Amino acid sequence: MNLLSKYLLLLAAMASLLLNVGCSTTPRAKPANVVDRSGGNSEPTPPGYYRVKRGDTLARIALDNGQSPRDLAQWNNLSNPNLIEVDDLILVRPPANNKMTVKPIPKTAGDTPKTDAPKVDAAKEAPKEIVAEPGIRLSWPAKGKVTDDFSEKTKGIDIAGKLGDPVTAAADGKVVYAGNSLRGYGNLVIIKHDNTYLTAYAHNRALSVKEGDTVKKGQKIAEMGDTDATSVKLHFELRVNGRPVNPTPYLQ
């Protein structure tokens, strides 16, 4: 075999070796472990409590649970209501020793548990829309056209008007909040009518009442404005145990 033939044979062997190396499969490295460092608490929230989430304020928690921010601060021994932390548990129902707690009706000696009550299949029972009881009657809090109806997103209705138009209490009650710490509501008044119902009045230019005031139905509580809004309007909400319901059927 001449020198040229040997050289060509050597080149062919080297090419074959390089091809095999390039096509070989290298085992993949083991994926890195994913560690959740968000600090979230997976423990269930006890009944009657709310677990604080990022962005919450005590005023927002109070509104969503139908309570007064001052009551929440008192029930939870909060010396500074602005200092709440993510994952804190906030008591949102009156404690057992609170005078507003409804006492159970005592049983007499003749009372026996009822065993013949028909059982209801929860799976077959149609979901019921949360609405206010017929007992509450509200007056219109402002004069003007309704420009945005109630929905899950709006949580209330918008009433258009002029800057400075009077905003009035929809029913007798006590002012449990008057301020502007709830993002998206501007200058806000919240009135608690009893342990079940409260109403909220947002985007006011000026407030005529302060926290703790007792107000009568039809009393002026604010002046219509456009704080935290793109137009002059009153955003009005009715809440039942903290849940927003459509106030329109109850306005007279």
Side-chain angles (χ1 to χ4, degrees):
M1 183 181 294
N2 57 31
L3 183 61
L4 178 60
S5 298
K6 292 181 178 180
Y7 181 71
L8 291 176
L9 183 61
L10 178 61
L11 287 178
M14 292 178 63
S16 176
L17 178 62
L18 290 174
L19 181 63
N20 290 334
V21 171
C23 294
S24 63
T25 302
T26 303
R28 294 182 179 180
K30 184 179 180 181
N33 292 328
V34 178
V35 180
D36 183 6
R37 300 187 185 278
S38 62
N41 194 319
S42 60
E43 296 181 1
T45 302
Y49 284 83
Y50 173 84
R51 192 176 295 280
V52 177
K53 300 180 180 63
R54 188 175 302 279
D56 279 339
T57 64
L58 197 67
R60 169 71 70 177
I61 296 171
L63 176 63
D64 289 343
N65 288 276
Q67 303 294 352
S68 159
R70 178 176 294 183
D71 285 344
L72 293 192
Q74 179 182 354
W75 299 343
N76 292 275
N77 297 318
L78 299 176
S79 56
N80 187 346
N82 295 320
L83 294 180
I84 56 175
E85 298 181 0
V86 174
D87 285 336
D88 280 352
L89 284 175
I90 301 294
L91 179 65
V92 294
R93 290 289 176 263
N97 60 352
N98 189 280
K99 63 181 180 180
M100 295 179 64
T101 304
V102 179
K103 295 182 179 179
I105 301 176
K107 293 184 178 181
T108 61
D111 288 339
T112 55
K114 294 182 179 180
T115 58
D116 55 350
K119 295 182 179 180
V120 179
D121 189 345
K124 295 181 179 180
E125 187 178 13
K128 298 179 180 179
E129 180 183 359
I130 299 177
V131 298
E133 296 177 2
I136 190 169
R137 293 291 181 266
L138 306 174
S139 64
W140 282 88
K143 295 180 180 179
K145 180 181 179 181
V146 175
T147 56
D148 204 355
D149 294 323
F150 175 85
S151 68
E152 184 178 349
K153 181 180 179 180
T154 64
K155 299 181 181 180
I157 62 174
D158 288 349
I159 304 173
K162 298 177 181 178
L163 193 66
D165 280 354
V167 174
T168 59
D172 296 352
K174 181 179 180 181
V175 178
V176 295
Y177 180 82
N180 57 7
S181 67
L182 272 76
R183 182 177 299 178
Y185 283 86
N187 293 327
L188 172 68
V189 175
I190 300 177
I191 299 175
K192 189 169 185 176
H193 305 290
D194 55 26
N195 286 340
T196 302
Y197 306 109
L198 60 78
T199 49
Y201 313 73
H203 305 311
N204 302 289
R205 177 178 73 173
L207 307 182
S208 306
V209 293
K210 63 183 183 300
E211 187 175 328
D213 285 352
T214 300
V215 296
K216 293 293 184 181
K217 186 175 185 178
Q219 177 182 334
K220 180 181 176 181
I221 59 173
E223 295 178 0
M224 191 180 294
D226 58 358
T227 56
D228 224 350
T230 56
S231 61
V232 176
K233 62 183 177 181
L234 170 68
H235 178 72
F236 177 71
E237 295 184 6
L238 168 66
R239 298 212 173 198
V240 180
N241 294 321
R243 299 289 298 276
V245 302
N246 186 1
T248 305
Y250 309 98
L251 290 167
Q252 299 175 334

